[in-house]
């Protein structure tokens, strides 16, 4: 499903109005009615229910007046609070404000201290608050009266339905700009906005409904919209199907280069992640002193010893062996638990730039790339990088807050600049491609915030590439499957689930999507 930034949505609205001649009031009517339909699905009858419509000065407020009219027509009790004066309202919003004015609806302009008391009392005695303060025209930060009214709405403890987007949430990033309305439901118009899915905005949006407001589909299709939400259907369409005549050789060869003296678990989980995603043959190459341990831990994985440093990490002499192993593999996953010894880092860089197969680069291999992202251009195929926000911060020289404040923007810029696929992990993983294409993942849960789940993801993506998927499709499908496995595992208890539980749930997640 595609998602539009605020400016893309405005452009779409404008084309529908200017080129197709759909009056703006028609779009506004459809938007308002869509919110009414959502309310009708919550309550059997709206008659006698009490509503407060909190309206801003723009078209989001205009939607609010349409909603107020339909509520009144259905016999609901409605008060409309306008943050400002009627005289300041223009355009389509004005037309709808004049209509409810003529209908004799209770419209209160919030201009004096006494009006604020009226808002508080009305909110306290309402069944529902309609947030029509700010939509895609919101800019900057929330402060002053806007902050005050949002505080009143949130403190009222009532059911809130947000019109298009919860006021105060930045449509493009999900950032809370000072304050934001906490909604139980959001009805968004035309295409959903990224900020409804990205945290912390996603937490403000509640249940999201995407409403068709009558914009011709051709207007949307001709726009070069590059943001997408990953949907089950699309993952189903791209995941590999196994032929009944398959044997282990037909499901690909995965090489995992991982592990060091203190970090054997990460290596094991990445290797098993590939197996659980359906990879036919998985080889784990790790420092020699780990071989016995890993061979005992992993029954189905082949292990290959690599020359190691005195501290138990891969050393430079291992490069030849790693490249030899890579030449017989369909994909190489490199990084989990490798450690941060400079000699290891240098061996990693040489391997990454010389290996001829697709790569999934994670963890300590990302550490090795800090300051060397220019080397990614030398990779034989478009590599997949799977940083968490901390790793991304180090690679981009931003701080973690800046990375999380604009996950889509940061991932998109890095993918374009470095020439790679970025899988920016965390709640709502973002997959970014060099051409600016973005996929936001909505599977997964907070139970996955535990050690080792990232190693599993690396293995899953590599395992999918091994089965013939392109790195592009494997990155998109991999994050979806991985999150879904987390959701399956969370059924056994979210808080205490481990990366091992997640691993075991990968086959069930795949089965849930493809039926095999
Ligand atoms: N014709 C259209 O383009 C349609 C627009 N629709 C609605 O209109 C919305 C967009 O309307 P607008 O572009 O008029 O913009 P909004 O109504 O989202 O916001 C603009 C108003 O908010 C104020 N504002 C902006 N930033 C602020 C801040 N930081 N603090 C306080 N006030 C601030 C502006 O001064 C202006 O009065 C959409 O979200 C949607 O709800 C729908 O009716 C469908 C059709
Ligand atoms: K709103």
């Amino acid at each position: 499903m595609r998602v539009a930034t605020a400016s893309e949505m405005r452009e779409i609205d404008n084309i529908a109005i200017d080129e197709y001649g759909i009056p703006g009031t028609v779009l506004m009517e459809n938007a308002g009615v869509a919110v009414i339909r959502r309310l009708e699905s919550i309550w059997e009858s709206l008659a006698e229910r009490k509503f407060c419509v909190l309206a801003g000065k723009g078209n989001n407020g205009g939607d609010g007046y349409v909603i107020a009219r339909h509520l009144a027509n259905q016999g609901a009790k409605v008060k409309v609070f306008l943050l400002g004066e009627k005289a300041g309202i223009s355009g389509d919003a004005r037309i709808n404000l004049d209509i409810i004015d003529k209908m004799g609806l209770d419209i209160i302009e919030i201009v004096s201290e006494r009006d604020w008391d009226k808002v508080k009392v009305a909110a306290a005695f309402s069944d529902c608050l309609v947030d029509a303060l700010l939509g895609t025209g919101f800019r900057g930060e929330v402060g002053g009266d806007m902050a005050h009214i949002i505080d009143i709405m949130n403190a009222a403890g009532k059911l809130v339905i947000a019109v298009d987007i919860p006021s105060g949430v930045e449509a493009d990033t999900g950032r809370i700009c000072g304050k934001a309305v906490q909604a139980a439901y959001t009805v968004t118009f035309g295409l959903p906005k990224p900020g409804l899915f990205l945290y912390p905005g996603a937490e403000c949006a509640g249940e999201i409904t995407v409403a068709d407001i009558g914009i011709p589909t051709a207007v949307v299709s001709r726009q070069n919209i590059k943001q997408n939400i990953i949907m089950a259907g699309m993952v189903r369409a791209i995941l590999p199907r196994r032929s009944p005549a398959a044997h282990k050789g037909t499901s690909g060869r995965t090489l995992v280069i991982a592990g060091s003296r203190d970090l054997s678990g990460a290596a094991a989980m990445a290797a098993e992640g590939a197996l659980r995603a359906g990879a036919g043959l998985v080889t784990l190459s790790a420092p020699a002193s780990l071989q016995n341990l890993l061979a005992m831990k992993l029954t189905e994985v082949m292990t290959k010893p690599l020359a190691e440093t005195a501290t138990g990490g891969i050393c430079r002499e291992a490069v030849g062996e790693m490249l030899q192993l890579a030449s017989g593999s369909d994909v190489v996953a490199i990084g989990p638990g490798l450690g941060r010894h400079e000699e290891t880092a240098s061996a990693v860089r040489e391997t990454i730039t010389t290996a001829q197969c697709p790569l999934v680069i994670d963890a300590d291999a990302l550490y090795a790339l800090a300051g060397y992202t220019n080397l990614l251009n030398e990779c034989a195929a478009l590599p997949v990088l799977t940083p968490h926000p901390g790793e991304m911060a180090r690679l981009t020289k931003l701080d973690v807050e800046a990375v999380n404040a604009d996950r889509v923007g940061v991932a998109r810029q890095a993918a374009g600049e470095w020439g790679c696929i970025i899988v920016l992990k965390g709640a709502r993983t973002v997959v970014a491609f060099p051409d600016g294409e973005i996929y936001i993942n909505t599977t997964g849960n907070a139970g996955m915030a535990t050690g080792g789940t990232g190693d599993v993801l690396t293995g899953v993506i590599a395992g999918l590439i091994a089965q013939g998927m392109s790195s592009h499709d494997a990155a998109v499908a991999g994050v979806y499957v991985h999150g879904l496995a987390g959701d399956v595992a969370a059924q056994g208890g979210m808080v205490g689930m481990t990366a091992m539980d997640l691993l075991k749930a990968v086959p069930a997640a795949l089965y849930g999507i493809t039926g095999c």
Side-chain angles (χ1 to χ4, degrees), residues 11 14 21 47 130-131 178 198 202 205 230 250 269 273 310 313 345 358 373 382-383 391 404-405 407 475 481 511:
E11 172 80 6
N14 288 342
V130 178
D131 163 28
L198 297 165
I230 308 174
T250 55
M269 281 184 286
T373 45
L382 200 62
E391 288 160 344
N404 277 329
R407 291 167 62 77
V481 169
Y511 182 80

Side-chain angles (χ1 to χ4, degrees), residues 74-85:
Q74 294 205 25
K77 296 193 163 60
V78 193
K79 280 187 194 297
V80 177
F81 287 94
L82 168 54
L83 200 56
E85 294 176 3

Side-chain angles (χ1 to χ4, degrees), residues 54 60-61 130-136 161-168 181 186-187:
L54 297 307
N60 198 248
V130 178
D131 163 28
L133 292 166
L134 296 165
T136 51
I161 188 161
V163 177
D164 207 13
I165 186 158
S167 299
V181 167
T186 296
V187 180

